[in-house]
RNA sequence: GGCCGCUUAGCUCAGUUGGUUAGAGCAUUCGAUUUACAUUCGAAGGGUCGGGGGUUCGAAUCCCUCAGCGGCCACCA
């Protein structure tokens, strides 16, 4: 044995041995084996790994190796996610560098290009997981766009639809004009913003608003029925003068209007405000949008009027096509000019919704989209949690989950992107002449228009082949089907929210693999992931899992925290404090990386690590190596392993207690504690005391060897490489009694000490 | 505005049914060395466990309250 443990020499060959020996595959079930299953949270297929991935690998691999050694039929099923929006935008960035844009391709071609791009990068993530030491069953590796998975996902959609849990509705959705797609409520971040609150003269009233640009096509005014100031106006229809001429509106009375806010009377803009939209529904008001999907003013309704006053026309032309923020400035100036702005509260702060990924202000825009009715899916989850069919481990996040479930609103699953699973909805061309179509003609020119009009010039098959996107009116006739119902049909161009597929991951991966995997390994044992995706993923997996299988998808949820830097600060590229796990592996070894992340970590709480942590854990791996080396050199001398010494009895009692403690801690999912116990007991008891005692002949060499073998097993889940490397070094010694004590040729598949 | 969490040594953090002198890593100081390991060993200093109140024979741990920090949620125009 070398004097120091040189991780770089051992890690790759050891990993290859493990994998080629089939150690990562579950042993066959028998009467005495229990199943232990973890479905790996799938990293994005084309992304390189970051330190957070190392954290989940470390924690999950500890549990997997522990249970494998316990003799359970242990399956860790890995996979990757197509990560719809993230990937498509990364690809579009790449296109932009090549001076191209997605609008130059029909959707089929674009999808194919992204597919190839992901294929080219997809080995990176998986290779890196191997470097960290993930003992996952790669023979079962699954991708969210594998045909089998897609089939299952489409099937789920159709089942939800049949059971009346999916509906298509025209309503306000969270639309990001920059990303060009709608999002679910969860993807909208609310940030405090200071914005001027404008008090505008509005006929006999004054109203307060931060969004004067939406007022042109207001459909009503609303006041509280108890408000004496407006009592006499209730139900009256008035002509309100405005920047673009008078608007005729009725004053409605509604309890929800707060007399305390602003002036107590509000304008109702159903097309651009969620609250107003609901109010509009209640009072049957029309939805009259004035902002388009690019977040620009759309003044066509005014410009198309033949008798519009030239002053108003000039204004409408001025606003038309301007971004909302810019238009707002122009409008405020014009309000001042007309003497309609009575005052401005510059210190007003309110929460504004922004896109979680690009930070652009989210526009609530009316669009027909597919929604999942969540209530019927949520109730069984709440019940299961109450009955503790699933337990959530992680610093109060169980309460957060409950809060989410109780307040969840219907889930918009339509995304206006190409990279994803296309919604299996079909529109008959004959029945839907009003479909709005955008496609590329033979010259690759973008053509948009109503289907009926386009069909006068182009054939349906031409449109189908070169389709970019379509928008079906809410009244459109459609059929739900995994495959085309016939030549007359055009498929919806929206794709599913990526989470719609990843939410089905626990049962879908098992159903897509070996024929009896689902039956053997479902429900899975543990779902280990970061608390930051609790609502996006864990909550919805519970919902879909129970819906589809009637059982919870996992019994235990273990939530780890964020990895922070040495000072406890969040890692970010801009701060320059990002730790690349591969750099750490090269410098200190995978074992050091894993142990530094796990030791003394607590579920649900963030963990900070720095260079010194990796270094001291590397020192620990060297300590293991050298303790083994000391004993190795004794065994090499063909020592007698039958003699006993007076200190042996106490030694074995202590050793037994250490085994008991670590086993208990791992069984209780206290990996941070278990790692610390292993570290302290090995270094400060076994090395500092026991080995020294053995040097003084107080403890026998057999006891010491027994201790080493036991500790190699106990430490293996935490530091798999160095322990396996030592194990195999010992195996090479020609010593029968030692061979007998060790038993198995490979540590990874040896039996846990009990 | 609501909810969740955190506050323990200079720094980063452990400490699960309340029980002997409160722990680790790093940092600091002193010392050791023809040693399995200098990626080492021994020793030392350093904490009124955020403040206050309560329960208890006994509280870092349970309860109440206040404060600071962090996070999540929220359509009040």
């Amino acid at each position: 044995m070398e004097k120091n443990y040189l991780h770089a020499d051992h890690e790759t060959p050891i990993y290859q041995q493990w994998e080629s020996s089939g150690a990562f595959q579950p042993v066959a079930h028998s009467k005495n084996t229990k199943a232990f299953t973890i479905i790996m949270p799938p990293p994005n297929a084309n992304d390189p790994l970051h330190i957070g991935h190392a954290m989940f690998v470390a924690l999950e691999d500890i549990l997997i190796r522990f249970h494998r050694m316990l003799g359970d039929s242990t399956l860790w099923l890995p996979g990757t996610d197509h990560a719809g929006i993230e990937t498509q935008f990364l690809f579009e960035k790449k296109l932009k560098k090549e001076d191209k844009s997605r609008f130059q391709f029909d959707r089929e071609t674009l999808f194919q290009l992204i597919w190839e791009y992901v294929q080219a990068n997809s080995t990176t993530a998986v290779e890196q997981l191997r470097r960290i030491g993930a003992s996952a069953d790669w023979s079962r590796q699954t991708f969210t766009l594998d045909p089998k998975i897609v089939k299952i996902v489409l099937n789920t959609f159709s089942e939800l639809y049949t059971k009346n849990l999916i509906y298509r509705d025209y309503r306000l959705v969270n639309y990001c004009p920059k990303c060009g797609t709608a999002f679910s409520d969860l993807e909208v971040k609310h940030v405090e913003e200071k914005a001027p609150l404008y008090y505008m003269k509005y006929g006999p009233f004054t109203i307060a608003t931060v969004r004067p640009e939406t007022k042109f096509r207001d459909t009503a005014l609303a006041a509280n029925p108890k408000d004496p100031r407006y009592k006499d106006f209730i139900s009256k229809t008035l002509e309100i003068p405005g920047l673009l001429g008078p608007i005729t509106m009725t004053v409605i009375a509604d309890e929800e209007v707060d007399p305390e806010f602003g002036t107590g009377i509000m304008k109702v803009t159903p097309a651009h405000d969620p609250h107003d939209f609901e109010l509009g529904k209640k009072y049957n008001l029309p939805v009259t949008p004035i902002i388009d999907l690019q977040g620009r003013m759309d003044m066509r309704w005014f410009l198309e009027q033949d008798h519009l006053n030239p002053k108003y026309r000039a204004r409408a032309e001025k606003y038309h096509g301007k971004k909302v923020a810019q238009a707002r400035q122009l409008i405020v100036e014009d309000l001042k000019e007309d003497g309609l702005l009575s005052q401005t509260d510059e210190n007003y702060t309110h929460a504004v919704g922004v896109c979680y990924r690009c930070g652009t202000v989210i526009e609530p825009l009316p669009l027909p989209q597919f929604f999942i009715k969540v209530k019927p899916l949520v109730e069984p989850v709440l019940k299961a949690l109450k009955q503790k069919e699933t337990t959530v481990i992680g610093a109060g996040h169980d309460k957060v989950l409950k809060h989410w479930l109780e307040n969840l609103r219907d889930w918009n699953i339509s995304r206006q992107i190409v990279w994803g699973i296309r919604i299996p909805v079909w529109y008959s061309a004959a029945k839907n002449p009003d479909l709005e179509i955008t496609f590329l003609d033979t010259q690759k020119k973008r053509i948009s228009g109503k289907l009926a009009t386009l069909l006068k010039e182009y054939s349906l098959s031409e449109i189908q082949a070169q389709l970019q996107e379509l928008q079906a009116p809410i009244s459109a006739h459609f059929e739900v089907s995994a495959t085309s119902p016939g030549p007359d049909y055009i498929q919806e161009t929206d794709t599913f929210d990526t989470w719609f597929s990843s939410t089905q991951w626990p049962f879908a991966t098992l159903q897509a693999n070996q024929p009896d995997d689902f039956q053997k390994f479902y429900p899975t044992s543990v779902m280990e992931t970061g608390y930051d995706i609790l609502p996006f993923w864990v909550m919805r997996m519970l919902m879909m899992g129970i819906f589809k299988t009637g059982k919870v998808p996992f019994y235990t949820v273990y939530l780890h925290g964020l990895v922070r830097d040495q000072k406890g600060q969040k890692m970010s590229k801009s701060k320059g404090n990002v730790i690349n796990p591969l750099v750490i592996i090269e410098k200190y070894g995978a074992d050091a990386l894993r142990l530094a992340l796990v030791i003394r970590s607590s579920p649900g709480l963030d963990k900070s690590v720095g260079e010194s942590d990796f270094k001291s854990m590397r020192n620990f791996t060297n300590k293991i190596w050298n303790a083994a080396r000391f004993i190795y050199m004794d065994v090499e001398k063909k020592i007698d392993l039958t003699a006993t010494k007076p200190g042996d009895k106490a030694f074995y009692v202590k050793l037994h207690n250490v085994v008991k403690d670590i086993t208990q801690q791992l069984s209780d999912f206290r990996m941070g504690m278990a790692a610390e116990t292993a570290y302290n007991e090995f270094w400060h008891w076994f090395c500092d005391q026991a080995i020294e005692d053995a040097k003084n002949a107080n403890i026998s060499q057999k006891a010491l060897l027994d201790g080493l073998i036991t500790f190699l097993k106990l430490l293996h889940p935490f530091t798999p490489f160095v322990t396996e490397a030592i194990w195999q070094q010992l195996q090479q010694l020609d010593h029968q009694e030692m061979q007998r004590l060790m038993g198995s040729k490979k540590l990874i598949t040896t039996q846990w000490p009990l």
Side-chain angles (χ1 to χ4, degrees):
Chain A
M1 285 175 84
E2 313 102 31
K3 193 173 169 189
N4 288 86
Y5 172 59
L6 305 169
H7 60 266
D9 293 351
H10 297 284
E11 290 183 355
T12 306
I14 284 176
Y15 193 89
Q16 280 164 359
Q17 276 180 40
W18 284 334
E19 188 170 3
S20 59
S21 72
F24 299 164
Q25 278 153 37
V27 296
H29 280 64
S30 73
K31 270 180 208 159
N32 301 323
T33 52
K34 286 182 286 183
F36 184 83
T37 320
I38 296 180
I39 306 294
M40 182 188 290
N44 295 358
N46 61 313
D47 275 5
L49 258 42
H50 56 73
I51 194 85
H53 294 106
M55 178 61 119
F56 91 61
V57 168
L59 287 166
E60 290 170 33
D61 201 38
I62 287 168
L63 290 171
I64 288 292
R65 287 176 189 270
F66 172 54
H67 281 272
R68 186 183 290 125
M69 290 169 80
L70 284 175
D72 295 345
S73 181
T74 303
L75 173 62
W76 191 12
L77 199 157
T80 49
D81 195 303
H82 67 282
I85 285 163
E86 310 299 333
T87 307
Q88 176 160 338
F89 290 140
L90 218 61
F91 183 75
E92 283 185 36
K93 249 191 191 167
K94 185 180 165 266
L95 280 183
K96 207 176 169 187
K97 274 187 196 157
E98 298 163 8
D99 219 21
K100 292 181 197 158
S101 107
R102 73 180 146 118
F103 300 112
Q104 293 168 299
F105 306 98
D106 64 81
R107 73 181 311 298
E108 293 292 345
T109 307
L110 186 59
F111 184 94
Q112 199 50 43
L113 287 172
I114 302 177
W115 180 276
E116 285 157 17
Y117 167 72
V118 169
Q119 286 301 307
N121 294 296
S122 64
T123 47
T124 316
V126 171
E127 270 321 301
Q128 295 186 352
L129 291 169
R130 284 187 165 97
R131 290 289 304 277
I132 304 171
S135 64
D137 182 358
W138 301 107
S139 73
R140 284 175 166 86
Q141 189 189 330
T142 310
F143 177 45
T144 46
L145 295 183
D146 285 347
K148 279 180 174 176
I149 298 290
V150 173
K151 196 175 160 194
I152 291 166
V153 170
L154 295 182
N155 193 319
T156 303
F157 177 85
S158 114
E159 193 179 332
L160 283 163
Y161 183 74
T162 311
K163 293 188 172 160
N164 205 20
L165 292 170
I166 280 192
Y167 61 93
R168 187 164 188 266
D169 196 11
Y170 181 67
R171 59 150 90 173
L172 289 197
V173 298
N174 308 301
Y175 198 87
C176 174
K178 190 168 175 198
C179 296
T181 181
F183 288 107
S184 79
D185 293 339
L186 304 200
E187 273 97 7
V188 180
K189 300 278 139 228
H190 291 266
V191 292
E192 280 287 314
E193 186 197 67
K194 198 166 147 183
L197 182 65
Y198 301 106
Y199 286 78
M200 297 164 41
K201 285 188 188 148
Y202 222 53
F205 316 113
T206 299
I207 57 157
T209 181
V210 286
R211 302 205 60 185
E213 72 278 6
T214 63
K215 70 181 224 59
F216 298 118
R217 302 206 60 205
D218 285 354
T219 51
L221 287 155
N224 193 293
K226 290 186 188 120
D227 195 329
R229 290 173 293 180
Y230 306 109
K231 220 173 75 191
D232 295 342
F233 290 100
I234 301 294
S235 301
K236 294 261 163 60
T237 301
L238 305 162
E239 274 219 335
I240 308 288
L243 290 181
L244 301 179
I247 317 174
T248 307
M249 278 185 287
T250 304
V251 181
I252 55 176
D254 195 277
E255 297 284 348
E256 280 180 45
V257 181
D258 179 3
E260 302 293 318
F261 186 88
T263 55
I265 187 160
M266 58 179 263
K267 68 197 181 73
V268 185
T269 316
H272 297 295
D273 183 281
H275 182 250
D276 292 9
F277 186 85
E278 291 307 312
L279 213 57
K281 239 183 182 173
K282 200 164 156 187
Y283 296 99
N284 219 2
L285 301 171
V287 177
T288 52
I290 191 116
I291 299 169
D292 68 13
L293 293 180
Q294 279 74 47
R296 297 196 167 98
M297 301 303 291
D298 178 358
M299 308 303 291
R300 278 179 303 172
W301 188 82
F302 291 94
L303 296 172
E304 281 162 12
Q305 286 180 19
D306 294 334
H307 302 293
L308 193 66
N309 173 317
K311 182 183 170 190
Y312 300 151
R313 177 171 295 278
R315 278 181 178 165
E317 278 169 359
K318 182 168 65 175
Y319 308 147
H320 186 69
K322 291 277 191 315
K323 291 267 187 190
V324 165
Q326 201 188 347
R328 188 179 302 169
Q329 300 304 319
L330 298 170
I331 288 160
V332 169
E333 282 165 27
D334 290 342
L335 285 169
K336 282 179 189 159
E337 188 185 310
D338 286 13
L340 293 175
L341 190 69
S342 61
Q343 56 163 310
T344 308
D345 178 358
E346 294 284 353
N347 290 319
Y348 180 69
T349 54
H350 68 148
V352 59
V354 299
C355 175
Y356 79 105
R357 52 175 312 280
C358 73
T360 304
V361 174
I362 290 289
E363 279 298 339
L365 293 179
L367 275 183
Q369 306 261 276
F370 285 94
F371 293 87
I372 293 185
K373 228 181 258 180
V374 297
K375 196 107 202 247
L377 299 174
V378 153
E379 271 158 11
V381 177
L382 283 166
K383 198 175 145 201
L385 289 172
K386 200 174 174 185
Q387 293 175 348
K388 299 211 188 295
E389 283 169 51
T390 295
T391 356
V392 179
I393 302 176
H397 288 288
D398 51 329
K399 291 172 199 157
V400 176
L401 175 60
K402 193 164 165 261
H403 184 260
W404 268 107
L405 287 162
E406 284 166 348
N407 296 286
L408 199 62
R409 290 187 295 164
D410 285 359
W411 175 12
N412 174 10
I413 51 168
S414 302
R415 295 294 176 273
Q416 291 71 56
I417 58 168
V418 156
W419 184 237
I421 300 173
R422 199 164 167 183
I423 297 180
V425 158
W426 303 78
Y427 303 99
S428 150
K431 285 185 196 158
N432 296 290
D434 288 341
L435 290 181
E436 293 284 345
I437 301 276
T438 301
F439 78 109
L440 298 178
D441 70 5
T442 45
Q443 313 300 314
K444 299 276 173 201
K445 197 175 151 221
R446 265 160 73 88
I447 310 286
S448 296
K450 280 207 193 325
L451 181 61
T453 320
L454 294 176
L455 281 176
K456 287 175 191 161
E457 216 176 314
Y458 305 93
S459 72
L460 181 60
S461 57
E462 217 174 332
I463 292 172
Q464 282 167 328
Q466 297 278 76
L467 189 63
Q468 276 196 335
E469 58 182 341
L470 69 76
Q471 234 190 78
I474 188 62
S475 56
H477 295 85
F478 66 86
E479 281 177 43
V480 173
S481 168
T483 51
S484 174
D488 177 47
Y489 285 83
I490 307 181
Q491 190 177 0
E492 170 64 60
T493 48
D494 283 359
T495 48
F496 288 127
D497 179 355
T498 303
W499 294 112
F500 181 68
S501 46
S502 30
T503 293
Q504 303 174 47
W505 206 227
F507 61 84
T509 48
L510 289 169
Q511 286 170 347
N513 268 290
Q514 309 277 326
D516 48 1
D517 275 0
F518 179 75
Q519 199 248 320
K520 281 180 181 170
F521 297 107
Y522 191 91
T524 67
S525 312
V526 184
M527 173 48 62
E528 195 285 331
T529 190
Y531 66 74
D532 50 334
I533 54 172
L534 178 69
F536 295 94
W537 199 42
V538 178
M539 174 181 74
R540 288 163 171 170
M541 275 192 287
L542 284 161
M543 288 160 59
M544 300 301 286
I546 296 179
F547 169 74
K548 241 347 237 267
T549 71
K551 290 178 188 166
V552 292
F554 28 73
Y555 295 122
T556 301
V557 175
Y558 183 98
L559 298 169
H560 65 251
L562 261 59
V563 182
R564 293 171 178 270
D565 77 358
Q566 220 159 0
K567 294 172 196 153
Q569 285 186 313
K570 221 169 169 171
M571 288 184 192
S572 73
K573 280 181 199 160
S574 54
K575 279 187 203 151
N577 60 350
V578 177
I579 296 173
N580 179 347
L582 290 187
V583 172
I584 302 300
I585 288 176
E586 275 166 30
K587 204 163 168 191
Y588 300 112
D591 290 336
L593 169 70
R594 295 163 53 120
L595 194 56
L597 289 170
V598 166
I599 195 163
R600 267 166 269 123
S601 73
S602 227
L605 296 181
D606 295 351
K607 166 86 182 167
S608 57
V609 289
E611 192 82 9
S612 69
D613 297 295
F614 299 118
K615 197 174 163 188
S616 58
M617 292 308 136
R618 187 276 315 264
N619 293 354
F620 180 63
T621 58
N622 188 58
K623 189 72 183 175
I624 306 171
W625 180 263
N626 270 289
R629 184 163 164 256
F630 175 74
I631 294 163
Y632 176 98
M633 293 192 299
D634 262 358
V635 178
E636 210 174 17
K637 293 174 203 149
K638 307 254 171 177
I639 47 158
D640 171 22
L641 288 177
T642 52
T644 59
K645 290 282 190 298
D648 284 5
K649 203 178 163 193
F651 174 86
Y652 278 108
V653 168
K654 168 75 182 176
L655 187 64
H656 176 74
N657 281 333
V658 172
V659 170
K660 217 177 82 185
D661 284 352
I662 293 175
T663 306
Q664 190 60 51
Q665 285 158 349
L666 285 177
S667 307
D668 296 342
F669 300 102
R670 298 163 63 200
M671 282 76 83
M673 197 64 216
E676 187 173 14
T677 307
Y679 179 102
N680 285 335
E681 297 298 353
F682 181 77
W683 197 317
H684 299 303
W685 171 64
F686 185 71
C687 295
D688 292 351
Q689 292 175 39
I691 292 183
E692 294 307 312
D693 280 353
K695 285 181 187 169
N696 299 327
N698 292 330
I699 290 174
S700 72
Q701 284 162 315
K702 171 172 187 296
L704 210 55
L705 178 61
D706 260 342
L708 177 67
I709 290 169
T710 302
F711 266 110
L712 287 175
K713 292 177 177 186
L714 293 175
L715 287 165
H716 182 257
F718 307 99
T719 54
F721 289 106
V722 65
T723 48
E724 184 74 71
I726 292 166
W727 192 268
Q728 298 194 10
Q729 293 272 344
L730 290 171
Q731 285 287 330
Q732 283 163 22
L733 287 176
D734 179 26
H735 197 296
Q736 272 200 335
E737 176 61 7
M738 187 201 70
Q739 301 281 357
R740 195 190 63 78
L741 286 173
M742 291 177 78
S744 172
K745 286 269 177 222
K746 281 197 175 57
L747 179 55
I748 187 173
T749 42
T750 197
Q751 213 188 343
W752 187 258
L754 283 172

